[in-house]
Every structure is written in C-alpha cells, then in structure tokens.
Amino acid sequence: MTLAVVRSRALDGLNAPEVTVEVHLANGLPCFTLVGLADTEVKEARERVRAALSNSGLEFPHNKRITVNLAPADLPKESGRFDLPIAVGILAALGHVDARRLEGMEFAGELSLGGELRPVRGALAMALALRRRQAGPVRQGGLVGDAVRSLVLPMTSAREAARVEGVTLLEAEHLSQVVAALRPERDGELPPEPLRVARPDAMPQALPAAAFGDLRDVKGQAAAKRALEVAAAGAHSLLMIGPPGTGKSMLSRRLASVLPPLTQDEALEAAAVQSLAGSFKAEHWLMRPWRAPHHSASSVALVGGGSPPRPGEISLAHRGLLFLDELPEFPRAALEALREPLETGHITISRAARRHDFPACFQLVAAMNPCPCGHLGNPLKACRCTPDQVTRYQARLSGPLLDRIDVQVEVPAVTPEVLAGAPDGEPSEVVADRVLRAQAVQRARQGCLNAALDGRGLDEHAALEPAAQQFLKTASARLGWSARGFHRVLRLARTIADLAGTGSISAAQVAEAIQYRRALPGA
C-alpha cells in the first residue's frame, strides 16, 4: 500500500475543523514534500517525524518520494499538532500500521526527536468539535459514515480534553505506544495492547478562594463593599475611583471570593478558551478566571488578534473577571475596543482572508485615581493638579465607555483611626451566600443574571412601585441619561431588590441604584 489516509484537526478560532492527512509513497528522487497551506511550524514536521521514527526503532522510507497533503487545501494549518498523524500515515503506507483501524480514529500531537509526544494547544476545542460531529445527522438508524471516532492525544492533552463527555479520548506518551496499538494482527501473535482511555486529572476538593483573600480584611469602606456585593449579585461591571492606597485593588480581588463557582458547562466554556491559549490548569477547574493585564497592554492583547488570530484577555476572562487597574493609563484604542464586547459578550476578529469569533462574556472590574496626582477630594492630602489637568486625565475615558459601566463608586481615603479601630467586616463566605441566593432567584425568574436582561425582560421582570417609577423618570430627565443608562439603572435596582428579597422595586432601591451611576468627581 502506497497511500494512507489519517484524520486530524486544525484550529480555526474556537472551532476545530477536520483535516485529512494523505500520505503517498512513490519511487523517484528521494524527497519529503508537504502541501496544503501549511505554516512554517507544520513544514518543520518533516525533520521531527524523520528523527522520531528513526530514534524509535521504526522504519523511515529514505529511498522514497514522500508526499503529504493536508486537506482542505484552503484551510490554514499551524503548530506541531500534525506530527503524529503524519508519522502514523507514513507507517500505514509502509504497512506497519493497520490502515483499517485508522478509520475510527483521529490523531493530534507534537513529536520530539526521540519520539515522545508533547501536548498541543486546543485539545478541548478538538474534543468539543468531535462531539458535535458525532451528535450530527443520523441515517438509517446509524451515524452517517464513520462518525463514531476516538481521539488520540498526548497524555497531558488527553487528560485535559477528557472533561468533554460523550467522546473517547485515548492517551499516549510515545510514538511507539501508538504504533504498537495499531500494528496488524498476525496469526500466532498476541493481539496488540490498546491505548489507555484518558481520565481527567483529579479536581481540587475545595476551591482555593483564599488565593483572592477575604472581604473581612478590608477595613471601613462600607459603601464600596456594598457596591461590590451588588455588582457580584447581578454580574454588573464595576469602576472604583479613589486616591492611591484606599483598597481599590484589594476590593477587586475580593470580588472573586464572593462569586459562586462555575457550573460544569461554564467551566468547560472557559477551559476551552484557555486550552486554545495553552494556559489551562487542572487545579483551576470550576474557578472563575481572573485576568489582570498591565496598563501597557495593546488593543490586540486585550481583544485578541495576530496571525493566526489568538484570543485576547477579554476572551481568556470568559465567565470570569477582567481587572483593569489604572484604567485611564490604558491606550485609548484598547479601551474603546472593549465597548462592543461589554454589550454583546463576544468578539469578532476579522482579517482579509478569515473571520474568527471568540466568546468574551466577562465581568469588568476597573480602578482609577480621580486625577493625575491621585488626591482629588482626599481629605488627608491636598491635590496639586490644575483643573485642566484633571479634565484631560478624566477625558481619557470616553462617555460611551463610562455609560457601559454599571456601577461607579467612590472609594475614599481611610483615616488611621478607622484602620486601627474598625472591627472586622463580614467574611466573604457570608456575602457569597447572599450573592448565591440572589443569583438563584434571577436564574429561576428569567434564566439569566440581571446584567444580561434586555429591554423586554426589564419590562417583564423589573416592576417598579408607583413612587419608584416617578422618581426614576424625574432623575433620568434631570441627569440627561441615555436609554442605555436608564436601563442600566433599572437593572441595578432589580439586583438590589433581589438582594433584599422583594418582588417589586421600591423608591429607596431606585435611589441606591442612581447613586452607583455617579459621575467622576470634578476639580
């Protein structure tokens, strides 16, 4: 047999389209040709495969003309994930591997020169794509074609992808293990030993919430803690404004300690994006992602991009928290790029040849100083900035961006007397219990958290008492809110009412919500 066909998968954003690896051996001038829109990393597979086969005691056809085609030809292929399918295809073409058994399998893995299998990015995305394929159309009581397949991956990648149910994941540590499991059966010989079915790594018994600290560590700041609880209960975006050292970053980290753990489906969504970036860690399973990029990050680093496009910080924070400290110090283009993802929960990266969609359902938590010196409105230290400097500094945040941030709260300076004598506040677990109850009410009532309520959902679920309705209309007209600002106050009021356990929204709850939409302090 001189032609072998092996199936693998590429990465196209969060999708993992099927790739057919065709290997043909022919007589002629010895060479190794690889075609099919392969990136430089894929073309280098020729040397890795040649050395891995030789060092594993397997035959490499040095005197043959080897042609490897990666189909479809118009789909870009990158990384070393095709090393293993190419090596298996060469051995199948030589007759050292049972080609019939390849019909029910897919392969992906990078090879070392010694034949060891190294992990690849996007293992979860490949497993999810295979599950979608096997849940496809049915013909005459059975799956179309050879839809039932198993996926062979390096051990680390297989255990990462084994969290996807409904797919058979097989793990291997060395190329020789794969070849031994696929060798043809001969009379008088023992049957080949199958590859091990991958099991996910042990999950943590308790979530390491201590990594984010406890809310009781924050002295004073009762108003900021309340705003933090409201933001957590309804998944609202949060901006904290105050002088340096007042606890803004400290409070931001404590927000993660009061949020409920991820559900299995949410954890799988978040892990799939992290797997795509090669940053998935088993010990963080069910923990909400926490991303805190430096303020020098570019717009590409925040929203994603590159060639091929990779997910940015907003996608890596999917189902979790994105903390932007020193918010006005970020490049203006980077901040403006956040506007659409804050509304839609996803980001579309368009290039000349291809378009990639990444999820970006994150909760924004930001902190900033009120002025360049940081002490505007600080009773403990005088501000030395001119009004023009304050205006220019605050103007780095555009009105449309601020309009999309639900909760804007001031974090004032804490006096030494408060620091020395203030009693401990509520622990995170107490606040987390209230947040969990409020979120359970929201999901039971409308199927989502309040931050995701649309206009029709607000009309249906955010019933205002007559006094509250009149108060909100008056405040909206006097403060000149946009329709977006009006709806965001209504969502906040709905969350405050859920924390209080009331069905209708009172005027006091509307007033509290309005306080969270305060403007930046002026000079």
Side-chain angles (χ1 to χ4, degrees):
M1 182 177 183
T2 59
L3 176 66
V5 177
V6 183
R7 291 178 175 83
S8 184
R9 292 195 176 269
L11 287 181
D12 185 17
L14 261 185
N15 298 317
E18 183 178 321
V19 172
T20 302
V21 181
E22 301 170 330
V23 180
H24 180 252
L25 304 183
N27 295 324
L29 187 66
C31 67
F32 194 154
T33 306
L34 201 156
V35 297
L37 203 58
D39 199 357
T40 302
E41 299 164 323
V42 182
K43 292 179 179 179
E44 291 172 347
R46 294 174 295 191
E47 305 306 321
R48 290 193 296 269
V49 169
R50 180 184 287 111
L53 289 174
S54 300
N55 292 324
S56 300
L58 301 168
E59 180 182 355
F60 182 84
H62 294 280
N63 60 344
K64 294 287 187 179
R65 180 182 179 88
I66 307 171
T67 304
V68 177
N69 178 41
L70 306 177
D74 61 344
L75 176 69
K77 291 90 179 176
E78 48 87 24
S79 83
R81 72 186 62 253
F82 299 106
D83 292 3
L84 178 59
I86 290 172
V88 171
I90 291 174
L91 294 173
L94 290 171
H96 300 324
V97 167
D98 189 350
R100 294 172 301 178
R101 301 185 62 189
L102 299 180
E103 296 176 358
M105 307 178 83
E106 295 183 0
F107 300 83
E110 181 181 336
L111 288 173
S112 72
L113 299 185
E116 292 84 6
L117 290 179
R118 290 174 172 163
V120 294
R121 293 186 303 104
L124 274 165
M126 289 188 285
L128 288 169
L130 182 57
R131 184 174 71 176
R132 287 193 296 269
R133 183 186 190 279
Q134 295 182 169
V138 175
R139 182 179 63 190
Q140 296 181 355
L143 290 165
V144 174
D146 54 347
V148 179
R149 296 180 190 164
S150 55
L151 179 59
V152 181
L153 292 170
M155 184 177 67
T156 302
S157 299
R159 294 184 179 181
E160 173 185 311
R163 289 174 170 80
V164 179
E165 297 179 353
V167 179
T168 302
L169 279 301
L170 303 177
E171 65 180 26
E173 299 179 71
H174 198 278
L175 175 60
S176 58
Q177 290 179 278
V178 180
V179 176
L182 297 175
R183 65 178 173 81
E185 296 187 27
R186 295 183 176 87
D187 294 337
E189 293 184 359
L190 293 174
E193 182 179 353
L195 294 172
R196 295 189 305 269
V197 176
R199 304 295 180 203
D201 292 326
M203 300 179 190
Q205 296 298 318
L207 295 177
F212 299 106
D214 197 292
L215 202 56
R216 75 168 73 196
D217 300 334
V218 183
K219 301 289 186 179
Q221 304 295 11
K225 290 179 183 178
R226 171 64 177 174
L228 198 76
E229 181 178 343
V230 172
H236 301 289
S237 51
L238 172 66
L239 171 62
M240 289 178 284
I241 308 161
T246 57
K248 301 186 297 294
S249 300
M250 193 178 187
L251 282 164
S252 300
R253 289 193 65 84
R254 269 59 179 179
L255 177 58
S257 69
V258 302
L259 291 173
L262 294 171
T263 64
Q264 292 289 333
D265 290 341
E266 290 174 339
L268 198 56
E269 291 177 20
V273 181
Q274 293 162 14
S275 173
L276 200 61
S279 60
F280 173 77
K281 295 181 180 179
E283 60 268 24
H284 292 167
W285 180 252
L286 297 181
M287 287 183 63
R288 292 194 178 273
W290 167 269
R291 305 292 299 188
H294 190 260
H295 61 254
S296 61
S298 65
S299 57
V300 172
L302 278 182
V303 302
S307 182
R310 299 283 182 87
E313 293 290 338
I314 63 173
S315 295
L316 295 174
H318 181 59
R319 298 298 180 187
L321 299 170
L322 177 68
F323 176 49
L324 302 183
D325 200 4
E326 305 296 344
L327 187 64
E329 303 297 336
F330 280 81
R332 179 69 176 259
L335 293 180
E336 295 304 303
L338 297 177
R339 284 159 53 174
E340 288 185 10
L342 279 171
E343 290 283 339
T344 62
H346 73 274
I347 180 70
T348 300
I349 300 173
S350 298
R351 295 293 179 264
R354 308 194 72 81
R355 166 179 166 171
H356 295 77
D357 290 317
F358 294 106
C361 186
F362 61 95
Q363 186 173 357
L364 175 65
V365 187
M368 62 174 287
N369 298 326
C371 64
C373 79
H375 295 288
L376 178 64
N378 186 356
L380 304 180
K381 191 172 182 179
C383 174
R384 60 176 184 269
C385 303
T386 66
D388 285 345
Q389 288 176 321
V390 175
T391 301
R392 283 196 300 270
Y393 182 79
Q394 296 183 358
R396 296 179 185 177
L397 304 180
S398 68
L401 177 62
L402 285 173
D403 203 32
R404 287 169 166 83
I405 300 178
D406 297 331
V407 180
Q408 302 170 28
V409 62
E410 186 177 358
V411 185
V414 181
T415 62
E417 292 79 9
V418 172
L419 288 175
D424 290 339
E426 288 184 308
S428 290
E429 59 182 358
V430 174
V431 179
D433 185 61
R434 291 199 297 266
V435 168
L436 183 61
R437 289 201 304 269
Q439 290 193 358
V441 168
Q442 295 167 38
R443 295 187 190 279
R445 181 181 60 227
Q446 64 223 15
C448 65
L449 298 183
N450 289 334
L453 271 177
D454 56 13
R456 181 177 298 178
L458 286 171
D459 292 339
E460 184 177 353
H461 303 296
L464 292 170
E465 295 178 359
Q469 189 172 12
Q470 183 60 40
F471 181 46
L472 183 59
K473 287 181 181 178
T474 304
S476 176
R478 185 168 298 176
L479 297 175
W481 288 338
S482 65
R484 180 190 294 116
F486 181 88
H487 283 159
R488 289 186 180 273
V489 168
L490 200 53
R491 293 188 188 102
L492 279 174
R494 178 68 271 173
T495 300
I496 294 167
D498 290 336
L499 283 168
T502 60
S504 60
I505 303 172
S506 66
Q509 291 161 348
V510 170
E512 183 181 354
I514 292 173
Q515 290 299 312
Y516 295 140
R517 295 288 293 177
R518 61 186 303 165
L520 290 169

